[in-house]
Amino acid sequence: MVQLRIWDLPTRLFHWGLVLCVSGLVITGNVGGNAMIWHFRLGYAVLTLLLFRIVWGFMGGHWSRWAQLPLSPARVWAYLNGRHNTTDFAGHNPLGSWSVVVFLVILLLQVSTGLISDDEIANMGPLSSLVSGQWVTWATSWHKGWGKIILLLLVFLHLLALGWYRWRKNLSLVPAMWHGNKSLPNQVPPSVDHLHSRAWALALLLISFMAVFGLVSLGN
């Protein structure tokens, strides 16, 4: 077995940061009241992370790049039929790749609708004054309704998949997202994960933060 770096540190920090922020969003959204202050802050944090991850998909380590996600129907079908090698998907397998894409799209939609939502009581998205009332109504309904349900369903399916791989295939996927390494039977291209790439990631995160800050400021 060959021990290889698959997930670079920025990708791992993004993953666990997203876990914490989404958990906090669900909790604060259900609590309401003064907790909504943190709901908005966590929403801005998620948008920052999403912008970072989108760009990092072109700049990051080998297995964190969008080009390495096997999304084609042919590869999904081959995977479902067991026609693949162990090292074909050292990163995400086809089902995992689609779950990543869908999860990020739904999160981006949730954060975007949150920016223009208005519960007509005490909480109003910072950009709600910049769009028509029709858009505000639709965004609020989606954000509090189907958007929330779909997001929770995706989280449940993700946890279910982790449990299935652990107990049915005896394959734990979580440790690699902690330390970044996987033991594989064959050599594959490792992900670059050195100080220089991490410095670029930090700069990109700061740029993403400033972009979100500028976007939110448009409503002031």
Side-chain angles (χ1 to χ4, degrees), residues 89-110:
F89 312 118
H92 291 296
N93 62 49
L95 293 182
S97 297
W98 273 107
S99 71
V100 168
V101 172
V102 173
F103 208 108
L104 295 183
V105 169
I106 292 299
L107 275 175
L108 189 59
L109 183 57
Q110 272 298 91

Side-chain angles (χ1 to χ4, degrees), residues 9 34 36 79 110 112 128 177 202 220:
L9 181 62
N34 292 331
M36 291 302 295
Y79 179 77
Q110 272 298 91
S112 299
S128 58
M177 196 53 72
L202 179 59
N220 296 330

Side-chain angles (χ1 to χ4, degrees), residues 48-118:
T48 300
L49 289 172
L50 291 175
L51 293 180
F52 163 81
R53 185 64 181 91
I54 290 171
V55 180
W56 192 243
F58 300 99
M59 299 173 53
H62 181 81
W63 297 102
S64 297
R65 300 197 174 198
W66 303 124
Q68 299 307 317
L69 295 182
L71 298 171
S72 70
R75 301 195 75 179
V76 173
W77 183 250
Y79 179 77
L80 291 174
N81 286 275
R83 299 196 307 270
H84 65 277
N85 297 321
T86 306
T87 54
D88 282 348
F89 312 118
H92 291 296
N93 62 49
L95 293 182
S97 297
W98 273 107
S99 71
V100 168
V101 172
V102 173
F103 208 108
L104 295 183
V105 169
I106 292 299
L107 275 175
L108 189 59
L109 183 57
Q110 272 298 91
V111 174
S112 299
T113 53
L115 290 174
I116 60 173
S117 293
D118 185 357

Side-chain angles (χ1 to χ4, degrees), residues 185-198:
N186 300 306
Q187 182 74 31
V188 298
S191 288
V192 173
D193 188 23
H194 46 52
L195 185 61
H196 183 70
S197 66
R198 294 174 181 180

